[in-house]
Amino acid sequence: MSAAHDLFGGGVAVITGAGAGIGAGLARYAARELGMTVVLADVDTTAITALRTELQQQGAHALDVACDVRDPDAVERLAETTLSEAGPVRLLVNNAGVEQFGYLWDTPVANWERLVTINISGVFHGVRAFLPRMMADPGRSWVWNLSSVGGVSAGPLQAPYIMSKHAVLALTECLHQEVELAGHGHHVHVQAVLPGAVTSNIFESAGAVDDGDVTAAEDHRSAMLQIKAQAMDPLDAARVFFDQAAAQEFYLLSQPFVADAMAARADTLLHRRPPHLPRGEFSVPAP
């Protein structure tokens, strides 16, 4: 058996945004390969019901719970339901997230507020609802917060999303320190997940702009959809994340180019260079 199976096998995993993409990939891998009981949380109840049925038909243990991570009371109910119906949580994955394309000044206020409350506040609500329970339990447990390669880089026409992923990364780094400071670092492990290009529907469902340069926003969506064709399968990404987590890494990276982006970011800050327009693979095509 793998180290990941030894650590996570048989435990309970709660995954927000489990209806598609990385969330669904993590759920399938955790349930089928590690024998975990998975609690599937999402606003898309049709998707998580279908995934629960799929996993149960394969002999896995799964529970689906409708949950909007923007609502702290809903996330608290998710924690209560998980404890009563599945048991103590071994792995919490704060994964739910949305995208936004277009110039920042063209971004609709409603889209901005929706993205911030899902991508940032949703992680906070997950931590606040689950972490005290996990710290009170003597068993080992893990908290994974989903940042992104965008959390260690900058790029145009995705400013709200990239900002949110920088915020999640900073939140997670601070949380790692706070858990240690509070005396729980020996049994509660906080880790930051930084996917690169992993197949999902986040680009198709990304927010658009109503006014201003609509063409720029939609051209960027098209460019991102071209990247999707080269993206990593979510199951393969899940395997990488679990293996790195078992190796006690803090930054869980889907692909080597994420580490390259981290190095480039560090070099930019070290030499105080101004941000430049990215070119090449997984970047904005030249106009």
PDB file of all heavy atoms in Angstrom, residues 156-183:
ATOM      1  N   PRO A 156      -2.959  39.278 -16.907  1.00  0.00           N
ATOM      2  CA  PRO A 156      -4.084  40.166 -17.228  1.00  0.00           C
ATOM      3  C   PRO A 156      -5.368  39.406 -17.496  1.00  0.00           C
ATOM      4  O   PRO A 156      -5.358  38.211 -17.810  1.00  0.00           O
ATOM      5  CB  PRO A 156      -3.597  40.870 -18.499  1.00  0.00           C
ATOM      6  CG  PRO A 156      -2.750  39.826 -19.168  1.00  0.00           C
ATOM      7  CD  PRO A 156      -2.049  39.096 -18.048  1.00  0.00           C
ATOM      8  N   LEU A 157      -6.473  40.117 -17.350  1.00  0.00           N
ATOM      9  CA  LEU A 157      -7.802  39.654 -17.726  1.00  0.00           C
ATOM     10  C   LEU A 157      -8.346  38.547 -16.832  1.00  0.00           C
ATOM     11  O   LEU A 157      -9.351  37.913 -17.145  1.00  0.00           O
ATOM     12  CB  LEU A 157      -7.826  39.213 -19.200  1.00  0.00           C
ATOM     13  CG  LEU A 157      -7.443  40.317 -20.194  1.00  0.00           C
ATOM     14  CD1 LEU A 157      -7.200  39.763 -21.583  1.00  0.00           C
ATOM     15  CD2 LEU A 157      -8.540  41.392 -20.245  1.00  0.00           C
ATOM     16  N   GLN A 158      -7.687  38.297 -15.691  1.00  0.00           N
ATOM     17  CA  GLN A 158      -8.179  37.369 -14.675  1.00  0.00           C
ATOM     18  C   GLN A 158      -7.901  37.931 -13.279  1.00  0.00           C
ATOM     19  O   GLN A 158      -7.761  37.169 -12.322  1.00  0.00           O
ATOM     20  CB  GLN A 158      -7.482  36.010 -14.795  1.00  0.00           C
ATOM     21  CG  GLN A 158      -7.838  35.190 -16.016  1.00  0.00           C
ATOM     22  CD  GLN A 158      -7.008  33.913 -16.085  1.00  0.00           C
ATOM     23  OE1 GLN A 158      -5.979  33.864 -16.762  1.00  0.00           O
ATOM     24  NE2 GLN A 158      -7.444  32.876 -15.389  1.00  0.00           N
ATOM     25  N   ALA A 159      -7.823  39.245 -13.153  1.00  0.00           N
ATOM     26  CA  ALA A 159      -7.387  39.848 -11.895  1.00  0.00           C
ATOM     27  C   ALA A 159      -8.199  39.397 -10.683  1.00  0.00           C
ATOM     28  O   ALA A 159      -7.612  39.091  -9.638  1.00  0.00           O
ATOM     29  CB  ALA A 159      -7.391  41.369 -12.016  1.00  0.00           C
ATOM     30  N   PRO A 160      -9.535  39.332 -10.744  1.00  0.00           N
ATOM     31  CA  PRO A 160     -10.274  38.907  -9.550  1.00  0.00           C
ATOM     32  C   PRO A 160      -9.894  37.489  -9.105  1.00  0.00           C
ATOM     33  O   PRO A 160      -9.679  37.234  -7.912  1.00  0.00           O
ATOM     34  CB  PRO A 160     -11.739  38.980  -9.990  1.00  0.00           C
ATOM     35  CG  PRO A 160     -11.740  39.994 -11.098  1.00  0.00           C
ATOM     36  CD  PRO A 160     -10.447  39.754 -11.824  1.00  0.00           C
ATOM     37  N   TYR A 161      -9.808  36.575 -10.059  1.00  0.00           N
ATOM     38  CA  TYR A 161      -9.466  35.184  -9.727  1.00  0.00           C
ATOM     39  C   TYR A 161      -8.055  35.091  -9.161  1.00  0.00           C
ATOM     40  O   TYR A 161      -7.834  34.458  -8.114  1.00  0.00           O
ATOM     41  CB  TYR A 161      -9.594  34.316 -10.978  1.00  0.00           C
ATOM     42  CG  TYR A 161      -9.187  32.876 -10.764  1.00  0.00           C
ATOM     43  CD1 TYR A 161     -10.071  31.976 -10.172  1.00  0.00           C
ATOM     44  CD2 TYR A 161      -7.934  32.412 -11.144  1.00  0.00           C
ATOM     45  CE1 TYR A 161      -9.703  30.650  -9.967  1.00  0.00           C
ATOM     46  CE2 TYR A 161      -7.558  31.096 -10.948  1.00  0.00           C
ATOM     47  CZ  TYR A 161      -8.441  30.218 -10.358  1.00  0.00           C
ATOM     48  OH  TYR A 161      -8.078  28.912 -10.155  1.00  0.00           O
ATOM     49  N   ILE A 162      -7.100  35.709  -9.831  1.00  0.00           N
ATOM     50  CA  ILE A 162      -5.717  35.631  -9.391  1.00  0.00           C
ATOM     51  C   ILE A 162      -5.559  36.272  -8.013  1.00  0.00           C
ATOM     52  O   ILE A 162      -4.869  35.743  -7.131  1.00  0.00           O
ATOM     53  CB  ILE A 162      -4.776  36.253 -10.435  1.00  0.00           C
ATOM     54  CG1 ILE A 162      -4.734  35.344 -11.684  1.00  0.00           C
ATOM     55  CG2 ILE A 162      -3.374  36.472  -9.875  1.00  0.00           C
ATOM     56  CD1 ILE A 162      -3.952  35.906 -12.844  1.00  0.00           C
ATOM     57  N   MET A 163      -6.201  37.412  -7.811  1.00  0.00           N
ATOM     58  CA  MET A 163      -6.192  38.042  -6.493  1.00  0.00           C
ATOM     59  C   MET A 163      -6.697  37.081  -5.430  1.00  0.00           C
ATOM     60  O   MET A 163      -6.112  36.948  -4.338  1.00  0.00           O
ATOM     61  CB  MET A 163      -7.053  39.305  -6.534  1.00  0.00           C
ATOM     62  CG  MET A 163      -7.283  40.006  -5.203  1.00  0.00           C
ATOM     63  SD  MET A 163      -8.589  39.295  -4.141  1.00  0.00           S
ATOM     64  CE  MET A 163     -10.022  39.381  -5.206  1.00  0.00           C
ATOM     65  N   SER A 164      -7.789  36.393  -5.723  1.00  0.00           N
ATOM     66  CA  SER A 164      -8.384  35.490  -4.734  1.00  0.00           C
ATOM     67  C   SER A 164      -7.453  34.329  -4.407  1.00  0.00           C
ATOM     68  O   SER A 164      -7.409  33.871  -3.256  1.00  0.00           O
ATOM     69  CB  SER A 164      -9.737  34.969  -5.236  1.00  0.00           C
ATOM     70  OG  SER A 164      -9.593  33.998  -6.268  1.00  0.00           O
ATOM     71  N   LYS A 165      -6.711  33.853  -5.392  1.00  0.00           N
ATOM     72  CA  LYS A 165      -5.832  32.719  -5.147  1.00  0.00           C
ATOM     73  C   LYS A 165      -4.561  33.141  -4.397  1.00  0.00           C
ATOM     74  O   LYS A 165      -4.000  32.352  -3.632  1.00  0.00           O
ATOM     75  CB  LYS A 165      -5.505  32.013  -6.464  1.00  0.00           C
ATOM     76  CG  LYS A 165      -6.724  31.352  -7.096  1.00  0.00           C
ATOM     77  CD  LYS A 165      -7.418  30.397  -6.120  1.00  0.00           C
ATOM     78  CE  LYS A 165      -8.628  29.712  -6.697  1.00  0.00           C
ATOM     79  NZ  LYS A 165      -9.272  28.778  -5.742  1.00  0.00           N
ATOM     80  N   HIS A 166      -4.108  34.382  -4.602  1.00  0.00           N
ATOM     81  CA  HIS A 166      -3.050  34.919  -3.747  1.00  0.00           C
ATOM     82  C   HIS A 166      -3.557  34.986  -2.303  1.00  0.00           C
ATOM     83  O   HIS A 166      -2.828  34.658  -1.359  1.00  0.00           O
ATOM     84  CB  HIS A 166      -2.638  36.315  -4.225  1.00  0.00           C
ATOM     85  CG  HIS A 166      -1.642  36.317  -5.337  1.00  0.00           C
ATOM     86  ND1 HIS A 166      -0.301  36.528  -5.125  1.00  0.00           N
ATOM     87  CD2 HIS A 166      -1.795  36.133  -6.676  1.00  0.00           C
ATOM     88  CE1 HIS A 166       0.338  36.489  -6.279  1.00  0.00           C
ATOM     89  NE2 HIS A 166      -0.543  36.252  -7.239  1.00  0.00           N
ATOM     90  N   ALA A 167      -4.797  35.425  -2.140  1.00  0.00           N
ATOM     91  CA  ALA A 167      -5.371  35.547  -0.799  1.00  0.00           C
ATOM     92  C   ALA A 167      -5.474  34.187  -0.119  1.00  0.00           C
ATOM     93  O   ALA A 167      -5.143  34.047   1.067  1.00  0.00           O
ATOM     94  CB  ALA A 167      -6.745  36.210  -0.876  1.00  0.00           C
ATOM     95  N   VAL A 168      -5.935  33.177  -0.845  1.00  0.00           N
ATOM     96  CA  VAL A 168      -6.061  31.840  -0.261  1.00  0.00           C
ATOM     97  C   VAL A 168      -4.697  31.290   0.139  1.00  0.00           C
ATOM     98  O   VAL A 168      -4.551  30.658   1.197  1.00  0.00           O
ATOM     99  CB  VAL A 168      -6.775  30.884  -1.233  1.00  0.00           C
ATOM    100  CG1 VAL A 168      -6.692  29.440  -0.745  1.00  0.00           C
ATOM    101  CG2 VAL A 168      -8.232  31.289  -1.407  1.00  0.00           C
ATOM    102  N   LEU A 169      -3.685  31.542  -0.686  1.00  0.00           N
ATOM    103  CA  LEU A 169      -2.356  31.056  -0.349  1.00  0.00           C
ATOM    104  C   LEU A 169      -1.849  31.731   0.924  1.00  0.00           C
ATOM    105  O   LEU A 169      -1.323  31.068   1.826  1.00  0.00           O
ATOM    106  CB  LEU A 169      -1.389  31.307  -1.508  1.00  0.00           C
ATOM    107  CG  LEU A 169       0.036  30.774  -1.303  1.00  0.00           C
ATOM    108  CD1 LEU A 169       0.040  29.281  -1.021  1.00  0.00           C
ATOM    109  CD2 LEU A 169       0.901  31.096  -2.515  1.00  0.00           C
ATOM    110  N   ALA A 170      -2.011  33.048   1.026  1.00  0.00           N
ATOM    111  CA  ALA A 170      -1.576  33.763   2.225  1.00  0.00           C
ATOM    112  C   ALA A 170      -2.356  33.287   3.450  1.00  0.00           C
ATOM    113  O   ALA A 170      -1.781  33.085   4.533  1.00  0.00           O
ATOM    114  CB  ALA A 170      -1.744  35.267   2.033  1.00  0.00           C
ATOM    115  N   LEU A 171      -3.664  33.113   3.301  1.00  0.00           N
ATOM    116  CA  LEU A 171      -4.488  32.609   4.394  1.00  0.00           C
ATOM    117  C   LEU A 171      -3.964  31.261   4.877  1.00  0.00           C
ATOM    118  O   LEU A 171      -3.858  31.013   6.089  1.00  0.00           O
ATOM    119  CB  LEU A 171      -5.939  32.490   3.923  1.00  0.00           C
ATOM    120  CG  LEU A 171      -7.002  31.975   4.889  1.00  0.00           C
ATOM    121  CD1 LEU A 171      -8.375  32.512   4.490  1.00  0.00           C
ATOM    122  CD2 LEU A 171      -7.063  30.447   4.917  1.00  0.00           C
ATOM    123  N   THR A 172      -3.630  30.391   3.924  1.00  0.00           N
ATOM    124  CA  THR A 172      -3.190  29.040   4.261  1.00  0.00           C
ATOM    125  C   THR A 172      -1.820  29.044   4.935  1.00  0.00           C
ATOM    126  O   THR A 172      -1.578  28.286   5.887  1.00  0.00           O
ATOM    127  CB  THR A 172      -3.168  28.164   2.999  1.00  0.00           C
ATOM    128  OG1 THR A 172      -4.440  28.257   2.346  1.00  0.00           O
ATOM    129  CG2 THR A 172      -2.876  26.709   3.331  1.00  0.00           C
ATOM    130  N   GLU A 173      -0.925  29.885   4.469  1.00  0.00           N
ATOM    131  CA  GLU A 173       0.390  29.997   5.101  1.00  0.00           C
ATOM    132  C   GLU A 173       0.256  30.510   6.534  1.00  0.00           C
ATOM    133  O   GLU A 173       0.913  30.000   7.458  1.00  0.00           O
ATOM    134  CB  GLU A 173       1.283  30.910   4.267  1.00  0.00           C
ATOM    135  CG  GLU A 173       1.678  30.297   2.927  1.00  0.00           C
ATOM    136  CD  GLU A 173       2.333  31.281   1.966  1.00  0.00           C
ATOM    137  OE1 GLU A 173       2.094  32.499   2.096  1.00  0.00           O
ATOM    138  OE2 GLU A 173       3.068  30.818   1.070  1.00  0.00           O
ATOM    139  N   CYS A 174      -0.598  31.502   6.735  1.00  0.00           N
ATOM    140  CA  CYS A 174      -0.831  32.017   8.092  1.00  0.00           C
ATOM    141  C   CYS A 174      -1.498  30.960   8.966  1.00  0.00           C
ATOM    142  O   CYS A 174      -1.146  30.794  10.145  1.00  0.00           O
ATOM    143  CB  CYS A 174      -1.698  33.267   8.043  1.00  0.00           C
ATOM    144  SG  CYS A 174      -0.921  34.694   7.259  1.00  0.00           S
ATOM    145  N   LEU A 175      -2.468  30.248   8.397  1.00  0.00           N
ATOM    146  CA  LEU A 175      -3.180  29.219   9.155  1.00  0.00           C
ATOM    147  C   LEU A 175      -2.223  28.110   9.598  1.00  0.00           C
ATOM    148  O   LEU A 175      -2.326  27.607  10.727  1.00  0.00           O
ATOM    149  CB  LEU A 175      -4.305  28.636   8.306  1.00  0.00           C
ATOM    150  CG  LEU A 175      -5.179  27.584   8.981  1.00  0.00           C
ATOM    151  CD1 LEU A 175      -5.934  28.172  10.164  1.00  0.00           C
ATOM    152  CD2 LEU A 175      -6.152  26.964   7.973  1.00  0.00           C
ATOM    153  N   HIS A 176      -1.312  27.744   8.735  1.00  0.00           N
ATOM    154  CA  HIS A 176      -0.306  26.726   9.083  1.00  0.00           C
ATOM    155  C   HIS A 176       0.460  27.165  10.323  1.00  0.00           C
ATOM    156  O   HIS A 176       0.689  26.370  11.254  1.00  0.00           O
ATOM    157  CB  HIS A 176       0.638  26.528   7.899  1.00  0.00           C
ATOM    158  CG  HIS A 176       1.670  25.465   8.098  1.00  0.00           C
ATOM    159  ND1 HIS A 176       2.880  25.704   8.710  1.00  0.00           N
ATOM    160  CD2 HIS A 176       1.674  24.147   7.767  1.00  0.00           C
ATOM    161  CE1 HIS A 176       3.591  24.595   8.749  1.00  0.00           C
ATOM    162  NE2 HIS A 176       2.878  23.632   8.185  1.00  0.00           N
ATOM    163  N   GLN A 177       0.846  28.423  10.378  1.00  0.00           N
ATOM    164  CA  GLN A 177       1.577  28.947  11.528  1.00  0.00           C
ATOM    165  C   GLN A 177       0.689  28.995  12.772  1.00  0.00           C
ATOM    166  O   GLN A 177       1.141  28.679  13.887  1.00  0.00           O
ATOM    167  CB  GLN A 177       2.105  30.344  11.216  1.00  0.00           C
ATOM    168  CG  GLN A 177       3.157  30.380  10.113  1.00  0.00           C
ATOM    169  CD  GLN A 177       3.561  31.799   9.756  1.00  0.00           C
ATOM    170  OE1 GLN A 177       2.755  32.730   9.826  1.00  0.00           O
ATOM    171  NE2 GLN A 177       4.817  31.980   9.359  1.00  0.00           N
ATOM    172  N   GLU A 178      -0.567  29.400  12.594  1.00  0.00           N
ATOM    173  CA  GLU A 178      -1.460  29.535  13.730  1.00  0.00           C
ATOM    174  C   GLU A 178      -1.782  28.184  14.369  1.00  0.00           C
ATOM    175  O   GLU A 178      -1.878  28.075  15.603  1.00  0.00           O
ATOM    176  CB  GLU A 178      -2.746  30.251  13.315  1.00  0.00           C
ATOM    177  CG  GLU A 178      -2.518  31.722  12.978  1.00  0.00           C
ATOM    178  CD  GLU A 178      -3.810  32.459  12.658  1.00  0.00           C
ATOM    179  OE1 GLU A 178      -4.893  31.836  12.701  1.00  0.00           O
ATOM    180  OE2 GLU A 178      -3.730  33.672  12.369  1.00  0.00           O
ATOM    181  N   VAL A 179      -1.971  27.156  13.550  1.00  0.00           N
ATOM    182  CA  VAL A 179      -2.237  25.823  14.088  1.00  0.00           C
ATOM    183  C   VAL A 179      -1.042  25.340  14.915  1.00  0.00           C
ATOM    184  O   VAL A 179      -1.211  24.753  15.997  1.00  0.00           O
ATOM    185  CB  VAL A 179      -2.569  24.836  12.947  1.00  0.00           C
ATOM    186  CG1 VAL A 179      -2.564  23.398  13.441  1.00  0.00           C
ATOM    187  CG2 VAL A 179      -3.928  25.177  12.331  1.00  0.00           C
ATOM    188  N   GLU A 180       0.155  25.618  14.418  1.00  0.00           N
ATOM    189  CA  GLU A 180       1.352  25.258  15.177  1.00  0.00           C
ATOM    190  C   GLU A 180       1.445  26.073  16.470  1.00  0.00           C
ATOM    191  O   GLU A 180       1.736  25.532  17.548  1.00  0.00           O
ATOM    192  CB  GLU A 180       2.601  25.480  14.324  1.00  0.00           C
ATOM    193  CG  GLU A 180       3.893  25.073  15.018  1.00  0.00           C
ATOM    194  CD  GLU A 180       5.112  25.239  14.136  1.00  0.00           C
ATOM    195  OE1 GLU A 180       4.940  25.499  12.923  1.00  0.00           O
ATOM    196  OE2 GLU A 180       6.238  25.110  14.660  1.00  0.00           O
ATOM    197  N   LEU A 181       1.189  27.379  16.372  1.00  0.00           N
ATOM    198  CA  LEU A 181       1.257  28.254  17.533  1.00  0.00           C
ATOM    199  C   LEU A 181       0.268  27.819  18.614  1.00  0.00           C
ATOM    200  O   LEU A 181       0.569  27.883  19.816  1.00  0.00           O
ATOM    201  CB  LEU A 181       0.975  29.693  17.119  1.00  0.00           C
ATOM    202  CG  LEU A 181       0.975  30.761  18.227  1.00  0.00           C
ATOM    203  CD1 LEU A 181       2.365  30.888  18.839  1.00  0.00           C
ATOM    204  CD2 LEU A 181       0.499  32.102  17.673  1.00  0.00           C
ATOM    205  N   ALA A 182      -0.912  27.360  18.197  1.00  0.00           N
ATOM    206  CA  ALA A 182      -1.940  26.933  19.142  1.00  0.00           C
ATOM    207  C   ALA A 182      -1.677  25.554  19.714  1.00  0.00           C
ATOM    208  O   ALA A 182      -2.455  25.069  20.547  1.00  0.00           O
ATOM    209  CB  ALA A 182      -3.306  26.970  18.456  1.00  0.00           C
ATOM    210  N   GLY A 183      -0.599  24.896  19.273  1.00  0.00           N
ATOM    211  CA  GLY A 183      -0.212  23.614  19.838  1.00  0.00           C
ATOM    212  C   GLY A 183      -0.837  22.405  19.183  1.00  0.00           C
ATOM    213  O   GLY A 183      -0.818  21.311  19.764  1.00  0.00           O
TER     214      GLY A 183
END
